[in-house]
Amino acid sequence: MNKIHTIPLPSLRRLPRYLNILEKMLDAGKTTVSATDIAEMLDLKPIQIRKDMAFTGIVGKPKIGYSTDTLVRTIKEFLGWNQQTKAVLIGAGSLGTALTGFEGFSRRGLNIVGIFDNNERKTGSPVYGRPIRPMNEFAELVQFHEVKLGIIAVPQENAQQVADTMVEAGICGIWNFSPAEIHVPDHVVVKREDLAEGLAVLFVQMQEHALSRE
Amino acid sequence: MNKIHTIPLPSLRRLPRYLNILEKMLDAGKTTVSATDIAEMLDLKPIQIRKDMAFTGIVGKPKIGYSTDTLVRTIKEFLGWNQQTKAVLIGAGSLGTALTGFEGFSRRGLNIVGIFDNNERKTGSPVYGRPIRPMNEFAELVQFHEVKLGIIAVPQENAQQVADTMVEAGICGIWNFSPAEIHVPDHVVVKREDLAEGLAVLFVQMQEHALSRE
DNA sequence: TAGATTGTTAATCGATTAACAATC
DNA sequence: TAGATTGTTAATCGATTAACAATC
């Protein structure tokens, strides 16, 4: 468990935002961009952009700024978005369906190769042209495609069991869209995506904001 | 803009996780719970739980721990989840539909009173028993219900315009599910909910994790 | 040349963690 | 009483910000 020199988590989270606007600038023909430009569009400080860029190994030119094209390519590569990563999704409810249809994923290197649900009434009927498969086909598909990433879109009650199934099949990264606290072996990475967190932050910030303006 | 003494953002984000497991413990008849218990279930350190609880004003009893019931009620109140907050949603695509049907919202005080879409083929046909309304009814409904919270579930290209419409109608809190960087006046709070961020974190952590085990 | 920008080193700020007295 | 737990105060850690030399 040797802690390598890694990018700080807050910096990592900002990279997709940089990439998003940089791609637009590239399309608009802007070949070069300064930290000040980026900071302005994202309501951040230029120094923070420079620091973040340094973590990815990007170097700019004094007086000129950064090459937009280099930034886009380097950030994509840094995030692993320059290649397709296979994933399987369990849970074909409304959230699972929405995730399946999310076009942003393939553009960011996520390729959902299998959608599963334990509800027999759902299996067979396709979402976005892809079949919903029964769980008994899960392990085989994961192993055949050598899938490393699993997406959990089932109710909280079933999340741990689904996670166990994923781990057993060889998955080592889990994107958990349920609020459940799932427990996995050390070699597995879990990323929580709990809507309730965002709601809490929004409510409290609105409350604070209202108070500070009285 | 006087910065009141507020809870740190990381602490605020942990509160829904505490609440989630505490509600289950309450249902299970556990009347009292220690920071150690909570820490174990969430893979955190006890001291962090104690600090976080202190921010909400909760006090425990040495040797005993905290009253589960008090914790649940106090956290709910702190987050504003003990009362219903009205919200409107713009964008009845697959994500908007999923959000509409998300049962966790009403339990957490979020009440979506109107769903809007500018696509005339969608308006009228209900999702989860609720009609999708055309945009020309938006301002009136917001003002009639005195809605303060707006949810953006439209494509990036339309997000800024939708935000403008919301602000003009009197909305002062925006939950933005598009990756767009939206700009709003000072009195409006925006909470970003960008799936791409989670994807970036997951990919990079999986990569780091794999490397550290070689 | 002067001005704008990068990248590095140091200072500040804020969150986490440790230490420990108080207490049921 | 002894052990477990809280809550406070101090120490540590990590991220942000500031200062500034280097440079195109």
Side-chain angles (χ1 to χ4, degrees):
Chain A
M1 195 57 130
N2 49 335
K3 201 76 177 181
I4 333 163
H5 185 67
T6 108
I7 187 171
L9 200 59
S11 301
L12 174 52
R13 280 209 287 246
R14 283 189 290 269
L15 292 183
R17 300 177 64 187
Y18 299 156
L19 184 60
N20 187 42
I21 60 159
L22 288 167
E23 282 178 328
K24 275 189 256 173
M25 293 173 108
L26 196 61
D27 287 348
K30 208 160 182 312
T31 57
T32 198
V33 60
S34 76
T36 317
D37 296 338
I38 299 174
E40 208 163 290
M41 281 186 279
L42 266 53
D43 248 311
L44 300 172
K45 306 239 166 98
I47 175 67
Q48 192 165 51
I49 279 82
R50 296 210 300 278
K51 260 281 159 72
D52 288 345
M53 294 312 178
F55 285 119
T56 70
I58 291 167
V59 290
K61 285 203 183 68
K63 158 89 179 150
I64 309 291
Y66 302 89
S67 150
T68 316
D69 182 63
T70 307
L71 281 183
V72 167
R73 278 188 298 108
T74 311
I75 294 176
K76 265 189 173 166
E77 195 174 327
F78 188 91
L79 298 177
W81 290 3
N82 59 332
Q83 56 191 14
Q84 291 293 307
T85 299
K86 292 177 188 170
V88 283
L89 183 149
I90 300 186
S94 56
L95 180 60
T97 304
L99 294 175
T100 305
F102 189 44
E103 56 175 59
F105 282 160
S106 63
R107 198 155 38 83
R108 294 179 181 98
L110 187 78
N111 178 16
I112 298 178
V113 296
I115 305 157
F116 295 85
D117 201 294
N118 68 358
N119 184 336
E120 278 135 29
R121 276 176 299 155
K122 283 182 184 168
T123 58
S125 55
V127 286
Y128 294 99
R130 282 124 101 190
I132 300 175
R133 299 176 198 278
M135 284 304 293
N136 61 26
E137 297 179 10
F138 183 75
E140 197 191 327
L141 185 136
V142 166
Q143 276 143 32
F144 179 78
H145 285 288
E146 294 182 318
V147 182
K148 293 281 164 269
L149 200 166
I151 303 173
I152 297 183
V154 299
Q156 170 157 218
E157 302 76 60
N158 308 325
Q160 180 63 56
Q161 192 213 314
V162 162
D164 293 343
T165 305
M166 285 179 170
V167 171
E168 203 183 337
I171 296 286
C172 58
I174 292 179
W175 205 2
N176 178 22
F177 283 84
S178 90
E181 302 289 336
I182 64 176
H183 299 272
V184 295
D186 275 352
H187 73 279
V188 180
V189 174
V190 176
K191 175 76 183 77
R192 300 171 42 84
E193 208 70 54
D194 186 357
L195 284 189
E197 284 181 24
L199 191 64
V201 172
L202 181 60
F203 273 17
V204 171
Q205 287 187 343
M206 282 175 73
Q207 182 67 15
E208 284 173 355
H209 213 74
L211 288 176
S212 77
R213 297 175 57 86
E214 267 173 7
Chain B
M1 195 55 131
N2 49 336
K3 200 76 178 181
I4 334 165
H5 184 68
T6 109
I7 187 172
L9 200 59
S11 300
L12 174 52
R13 280 209 286 245
R14 283 187 292 267
L15 292 183
R17 300 178 62 188
Y18 300 157
L19 184 60
N20 186 41
I21 59 159
L22 288 167
E23 283 178 327
K24 274 188 256 173
M25 292 173 110
L26 196 60
D27 286 348
K30 210 163 183 310
T31 57
T32 197
V33 60
S34 76
T36 316
D37 296 336
I38 300 175
E40 208 164 287
M41 280 186 281
L42 267 52
D43 248 310
L44 300 171
K45 307 241 167 95
I47 175 68
Q48 192 165 51
I49 279 81
R50 298 210 299 277
K51 259 283 159 65
D52 288 347
M53 294 312 178
F55 285 120
T56 69
I58 291 167
V59 289
K61 285 201 185 67
K63 159 87 178 150
I64 309 293
Y66 302 89
S67 149
T68 316
D69 182 64
T70 306
L71 280 183
V72 167
R73 278 188 296 109
T74 311
I75 295 176
K76 265 188 174 167
E77 194 175 325
F78 187 92
L79 298 177
W81 289 3
N82 59 332
Q83 56 190 13
Q84 291 293 307
T85 298
K86 292 177 187 170
V88 284
L89 184 149
I90 301 187
S94 57
L95 180 60
T97 304
L99 294 175
T100 305
F102 188 44
E103 56 173 60
F105 282 160
S106 63
R107 198 154 37 84
R108 294 180 180 99
L110 188 78
N111 179 15
I112 298 178
V113 297
I115 305 156
F116 296 85
D117 202 294
N118 68 358
N119 185 336
E120 278 135 28
R121 274 176 301 154
K122 283 182 186 169
T123 59
S125 56
V127 285
Y128 294 99
R130 284 125 100 188
I132 299 174
R133 300 175 197 279
M135 284 306 293
N136 61 24
E137 297 178 10
F138 182 75
E140 197 190 328
L141 185 136
V142 167
Q143 276 143 31
F144 179 79
H145 285 286
E146 293 182 318
V147 182
K148 294 281 163 268
L149 201 167
I151 303 172
I152 297 182
V154 300
Q156 169 157 219
E157 303 75 60
N158 307 326
Q160 181 63 57
Q161 192 214 313
V162 161
D164 294 343
T165 305
M166 285 180 170
V167 171
E168 205 182 336
I171 296 285
C172 59
I174 292 179
W175 205 2
N176 178 22
F177 283 84
S178 91
E181 302 289 336
I182 64 176
H183 299 271
V184 295
D186 275 350
H187 72 279
V188 180
V189 173
V190 176
K191 175 76 183 76
R192 298 171 43 83
E193 208 70 53
D194 187 355
L195 284 189
E197 284 181 24
L199 191 65
V201 172
L202 182 60
F203 273 16
V204 171
Q205 287 187 344
M206 282 176 74
Q207 182 67 16
E208 284 173 355
H209 214 75
L211 288 177
S212 75
R213 297 175 58 85
E214 265 173 7

